[in-house]
Amino acid sequence: MHHSTTGLTFMKKTTVSATSSPRSAIARHSLHDAITSHLRDMIIEGELEPGKRIYEGPLCERLGVSRTPLREALRYLASEGLVELTPQRGASVRRFSAKDIQDMLVLIRTLEELAGRLACIEASDEEIAEVRKLHDEMLDYYREENRLDYYKTNQRIHSAIVALSHNESLIQVHASLQSKLKRVRFIGHEGREKWAAAVAEHESMIKALEGRDAPALVSALSEHLEHAWERVRDVVS
């Protein structure tokens, strides 16, 4: 799935006035979110390739925006760990080594195992039901073969399980790592066999969470994240 060059309806280049009215502030915020989200998707799907420079001029023309909001979006993505900003060279898509990726996945696995244990104790029935809704939504995208929305919902499930720990420090560290691995986790679903295996692992996770079976949930999360490395190892090495 690739984004069309004319598919977004951003605001015209000219535009948000310098006034500080609530309406203009909302417009600026909406534009920032739209550009940031679109660039993030381009990185996740590989349209903007790891290690490659991001040329502002052509990208501004493509998105129909000026350099200022584009640069703001790039700075935000740099804070997420997806973009690198280098003096004199500008922005480029961040490239991680295979060792970097393996190390981050090991840490994410440890964090999610801890979160799973805490979630089985701390989460309310209503919170667990919300994760089930996300799981069912993810399955719909899987059946439709909609990889990007499947992936985004998949990641929301991991974040939601961590949120059920009600441990703010754990949530923040996990979010920081997860943002850096967006592209890597996306390519882990390439191919029908890998994708089907990931879905089956998520089924085990949701059943264990609903049963508040901490050992089963920890085991399912551990297996899933160990397999995440196996699914991408050959691609990133």
Side-chain angles (χ1 to χ4, degrees):
M1 170 179 171
H2 291 284
H3 297 278
S4 99
T5 55
T6 58
L8 289 184
T9 52
F10 288 124
M11 298 174 187
K12 298 278 186 191
K13 277 187 186 181
T14 50
T15 227
V16 181
S17 81
T19 65
S20 57
S21 71
R23 185 172 296 177
S24 65
I26 290 169
R28 285 195 299 273
H29 183 71
S30 298
L31 179 61
H32 169 78
D33 286 351
I35 299 170
T36 303
S37 178
H38 190 63
L39 290 175
R40 189 185 293 112
D41 287 352
M42 291 174 75
I43 292 170
I44 290 169
E45 293 189 275
E47 278 191 82
L48 295 175
E49 298 178 27
K52 295 295 179 66
R53 183 175 174 183
I54 298 171
Y55 292 96
E56 292 181 1
L59 205 49
C60 286
E61 287 298 319
R62 174 174 177 173
L63 302 181
V65 297
S66 63
R67 287 180 186 261
T68 298
L70 180 69
R71 286 172 178 170
E72 289 174 355
L74 289 172
R75 281 196 293 272
Y76 188 84
L77 291 173
S79 76
E80 289 190 348
L82 292 177
V83 166
E84 283 188 309
L85 300 177
T86 309
Q88 279 76 57
R89 187 168 183 265
S92 59
V93 179
R94 188 167 180 182
R95 179 191 290 278
F96 294 101
S97 70
K99 181 67 164 59
D100 290 335
I101 292 164
Q102 186 177 21
D103 288 349
M104 286 188 283
L105 284 171
V106 166
L107 184 51
I108 279 186
R109 184 174 72 192
T110 303
L111 294 172
E112 291 196 14
E113 288 171 359
L114 173 58
R117 289 190 195 96
L118 293 172
C120 288
I121 299 167
E122 302 290 341
S124 68
D125 291 344
E126 292 76 17
E127 287 173 327
I128 291 174
E130 287 301 312
V131 181
R132 161 58 75 175
K133 286 181 185 176
L134 284 175
H135 177 75
D136 292 342
E137 183 181 329
M138 184 192 76
L139 291 181
D140 287 339
Y141 290 130
Y142 172 64
R143 294 183 192 103
E144 294 166 5
E145 299 187 358
N146 180 343
R147 282 189 66 221
L148 184 59
D149 286 325
Y150 165 88
Y151 163 79
K152 289 180 177 179
T153 310
N154 177 303
Q155 295 299 281
R156 285 172 64 198
I157 290 168
H158 283 271
S159 296
I161 291 173
V162 172
L164 297 189
S165 70
H166 296 286
N167 183 312
E168 195 57 41
S169 296
L170 175 56
I171 293 165
Q172 289 176 4
V173 174
H174 179 268
S176 175
L177 283 168
Q178 184 162 260
S179 70
K180 294 179 177 69
L181 289 169
K182 287 182 185 296
R183 168 64 184 162
V184 173
R185 299 295 295 277
F186 181 73
I187 63 177
H189 301 127
E190 288 180 344
R192 288 186 179 276
E193 188 175 330
K194 288 181 181 180
W195 197 358
V199 169
E201 289 158 14
H202 264 256
E203 290 275 10
S204 298
M205 287 158 47
I206 194 68
K207 286 176 182 174
L209 176 63
E210 288 178 323
R212 296 183 184 271
D213 185 341
L217 180 55
V218 169
S219 177
L221 286 164
S222 179
E223 180 182 13
H224 181 61
L225 287 155
E226 185 175 343
H227 289 169
W229 166 244
E230 292 170 2
R231 284 191 275 264
V232 301
R233 180 173 51 200
D234 293 341
V235 183
V236 300
S237 297

